[in-house]
Amino acid sequence: MGNLKKVFLVVVITLVLFIAYLLFNTFNFDSKQLSVAAVTPVKPSSTALLHFADALKIKTVSPEKLTEFDSIQFQNFNTFLTSSYPLADSLLEHKTFNSFSHLYHWKGSDANLKPIILLAHLDVVPVIEKNLSEWKVAPFEGVIQEDTIWGRGTIDDKVGVVGIMEAVEQLLKNNYKPKRSMYFAFGHDEEIGGRNGAVTMAKYLQEQGVKAEFVLDEGGVVTQGLVPGMTEKVALIGVAEKGYLSLNLGVRIEGGHSSMPGKETSIDVMANAITKLKKNPLPTKITEPLKEFMEYIGPEMPFMNKMVFANKSILSPVLLSVYESTASGNAQIRTTTSPTIFNSGVKDNIIPLTASATVNFRILPETTTEDVINHVKNVINDERITIEKGGFVSEPSKHSSPEADQFKIINTTILQLFPNVLVSPYLVVGGTDARHYNEISDHIYRFSPIQLNKNNQKSFHGLNERIAISDFYDSIAFYIQLIKNSN
């Protein structure tokens, strides 16, 4: 009985010490939010919204099949840039790459200062023909209705191109003279990998010996009700992005008539391989960008959430379990496995000889494409299945520190124009042109000054893409303020 009391006492003391440790960490989990005075946004020009609408009317679609590329539309966008922004076209050095990507160079007065590079892309994803009837307005008419502007590219990413150009044109009209040089790079094929746009512009800058103070591309936004546990708006700045790999799987097995099937068909083998991959995903992990997100957002959360984030090192199994329970959370903690194409068979009474499938992986930082390929080979473990890389492959980007002064410039600019938001680094789960600028700067960030919520979030690459007109005006004010703060 005495021994039992001692064991019980040890358990109680251990529990008390554990709770005390959790509470100590929680109460010492200090806020990382900056205190910044708000500024009055610069008013946009009277023609800005019409320019945006005109840009949306141009069908700069990046098709999967290059034979469907409509060069006339991209030439029309070239004309739009030169005619809408004559000061930028005449006063800045303006180069085109592969006919349709644009690089503007605004020379500063102090050659000792590293330049900044602002990125955006002018191409958009296609609109699925059979879904046209579900659009409330035509996707390529740049319709302005009350407080909203509609059309493919409003979010992704003509708001960036037009927002930057409107900011530059307005600064030029006011005879603004920057100390720091600036580049504005607009790719025309970001949606299909950026090979002819961002890749060639980044290579050119590298050949010119350009080392940038920082690079800023799309990726993060101001979220409204999208961060679990938070009622406040949260501005997310991407400090890294996941890698990209598609694997094409194939199998060939004797077919025949469907009335006499063998024990296994090509479809059986391929379906089994896909099932194995889905049942055996790559492992979960709390990466550096996610740790930083917790450090920035955790202190602002309700007490219980704050306590978990404050003790992430010892409560990581709890955190991983919570993140794993949702699609968006799962994408933050593991390399995702997404079968996207499955092909086999031509007739209902013929057993096909072959089956093929494409599986897309979005790869966590600190993981490589070779790690993913080895995982797939080990999980499928079937020599009959061939595995080949898809055409576009991208390793996860390098990580840029949120503690750097360059991050703080962006952070400060956000708070000056969005004074009631919280700011946090995070991991971008999609792909951007920024990945191609790894050799240009150690400080590559991803943020667009627009607001996403549950109402318009799914319109990104989907139906009824749109943003509030005020968001477009905010983007112009943001780029003007960012340019000034960078100088």
Side-chain angles (χ1 to χ4, degrees):
M1 194 69 175
N3 288 336
L4 188 59
K5 285 183 179 181
K6 288 180 181 179
V7 171
F8 178 74
L9 186 59
V10 169
V11 170
V12 170
I13 291 172
T14 302
L15 183 60
V16 169
L17 290 174
F18 179 69
I19 294 172
Y21 177 79
L22 295 180
L23 292 174
F24 176 82
N25 287 340
T26 304
F27 288 118
N28 286 277
F29 198 26
D30 296 329
S31 176
K32 297 179 77 70
Q33 299 300 310
L34 300 181
S35 178
V36 175
V39 300
T40 302
V42 175
K43 289 184 178 180
S45 72
S46 58
T47 57
L49 187 59
L50 294 177
H51 286 161
F52 192 26
D54 287 342
L56 296 171
K57 294 173 184 176
I58 305 172
K59 299 180 181 179
T60 50
V61 174
S62 276
E64 289 298 327
K65 296 179 181 177
L66 291 180
T67 54
E68 297 174 0
F69 181 82
D70 190 345
S71 61
I72 293 174
Q73 296 293 332
F74 286 84
Q75 185 58 55
N76 289 344
F77 203 90
N78 289 356
T79 303
F80 161 77
L81 286 175
T82 55
S83 61
S84 300
Y85 307 108
L87 292 179
D89 188 62
S90 60
L91 299 178
L92 275 56
E93 184 181 292
H94 180 192
K95 293 181 179 291
T96 56
F97 293 79
N98 290 317
S99 301
F100 307 119
S101 285
H102 299 263
L103 181 67
Y104 293 85
H105 182 198
W106 194 356
K107 292 182 180 179
S109 60
D110 189 345
N112 293 318
L113 295 176
K114 289 182 180 179
I116 65 168
I117 304 176
L118 304 183
L119 309 181
H121 65 89
L122 56 94
D123 62 318
V124 299
V125 295
V127 172
I128 299 173
E129 198 74 24
K130 67 179 181 180
N131 292 340
L132 274 172
S133 61
E134 298 181 61
W135 282 73
K136 294 180 180 179
V137 299
F140 292 105
E141 290 189 6
V143 174
I144 300 167
Q145 287 183 347
E146 298 177 354
D147 62 350
T148 303
I149 183 164
W150 299 72
R152 178 62 89 222
T154 46
I155 294 174
D156 185 22
D157 177 35
K158 286 180 179 176
V159 66
V161 176
V162 179
I164 292 169
M165 291 304 291
E166 288 290 335
V168 171
E169 194 77 3
Q170 194 158 335
L171 287 168
L172 288 169
K173 283 180 182 177
N174 293 329
N175 296 313
Y176 181 78
K177 307 290 185 184
K179 291 182 180 179
R180 187 188 300 278
S181 292
M182 283 168 258
Y183 290 91
F184 312 111
F186 307 133
H188 75 279
D189 61 345
E190 187 272 350
E191 297 293 358
I192 52 174
R195 290 177 180 173
N196 293 314
V199 170
T200 55
M201 289 188 287
K203 183 180 178 182
Y204 165 80
L205 291 172
Q206 191 176 356
E207 290 170 349
Q208 298 299 307
V210 173
K211 282 290 184 181
E213 183 73 5
F214 68 82
V215 175
L216 181 66
D217 196 5
E218 62 171 340
V221 294
V222 178
T223 64
Q224 300 170 293
L226 298 181
V227 176
M230 301 298 297
T231 56
E232 297 91 338
K233 294 179 181 179
V234 180
L236 299 172
I237 303 174
V239 293
E241 66 182 70
K242 297 178 84 171
Y244 185 103
L245 172 68
S246 286
L247 294 179
N248 299 318
L249 312 182
V251 63
R252 181 183 177 91
I253 292 179
E254 184 178 352
H257 199 281
S258 64
S259 63
M260 295 181 290
K263 289 184 178 180
E264 273 190 314
T265 67
S266 59
I267 292 179
D268 293 328
V269 173
M270 186 58 68
N272 185 46
I274 297 297
T275 300
K276 284 181 178 179
L277 289 176
K278 290 297 291 182
K279 287 185 175 180
N280 297 277
L282 283 102
T284 57
K285 185 176 184 180
I286 296 178
T287 59
E288 196 62 30
L290 184 55
K291 288 179 186 175
E292 292 165 346
F293 170 81
M294 294 176 184
E295 289 165 2
Y296 273 72
I297 290 301
E300 318 306 323
M301 285 192 153
F303 184 80
M304 291 305 294
N305 293 20
K306 179 179 179 178
M307 184 166 67
V308 174
F309 277 16
N311 294 279
K312 57 185 175 294
S313 59
I314 58 173
L315 296 179
S316 58
V318 176
L319 280 166
L320 290 171
S321 176
V322 171
Y323 269 89
E324 199 173 13
S325 65
T326 65
S328 59
N330 187 55
Q332 289 288 325
I333 60 169
R334 70 156 33 100
T335 295
T336 51
T337 303
S338 300
T340 52
I341 301 172
F342 197 113
N343 287 316
S344 189
V346 294
K347 199 170 185 296
D348 64 348
N349 65 348
I350 299 175
I351 298 171
L353 284 167
T354 62
S356 64
T358 298
V359 186
N360 181 252
F361 300 87
R362 300 302 177 103
I363 308 168
L364 274 186
E366 304 158 28
T367 304
T368 68
T369 54
E370 284 306 308
D371 293 335
V372 175
I373 293 170
N374 290 334
H375 167 82
V376 170
K377 289 178 178 177
N378 291 334
V379 168
I380 292 177
N381 193 26
D382 190 331
E383 293 181 356
R384 295 173 295 179
I385 291 183
T386 59
I387 301 171
E388 296 179 352
K389 290 182 182 179
F392 176 72
V393 177
S394 175
E395 298 290 343
S397 76
K398 64 182 180 183
H399 169 258
S400 297
S401 172
E403 302 304 311
D405 290 339
Q406 293 82 352
F407 181 93
K408 291 173 183 174
I409 291 173
I410 301 165
N411 191 344
T412 296
T413 307
I414 292 170
L415 292 174
Q416 286 174 325
L417 297 168
F418 302 93
N420 296 317
V421 307
L422 302 171
V423 177
S424 175
Y426 94 118
L427 172 65
V428 177
V429 297
T432 73
D433 273 343
R435 73 185 114 189
H436 303 303
Y437 288 78
N438 277 340
E439 302 305 316
I440 303 298
S441 179
D442 292 327
H443 305 285
I444 300 176
Y445 302 106
R446 300 153 184 86
F447 175 77
S448 297
I450 59 174
Q451 301 188 52
L452 283 192
N453 52 50
K454 291 178 181 178
N455 292 326
N456 67 353
Q457 182 188 26
K458 291 183 179 179
S459 73
F460 168 78
H461 279 209
L463 296 172
N464 298 308
E465 188 175 346
R466 64 201 184 276
I467 62 169
I469 292 170
S470 59
D471 280 1
F472 169 58
Y473 288 157
D474 283 343
S475 72
I476 299 171
F478 172 84
Y479 290 118
I480 288 175
Q481 191 65 32
L482 180 66
I483 289 170
K484 290 180 177 178
N485 288 344
S486 301
N487 281 277

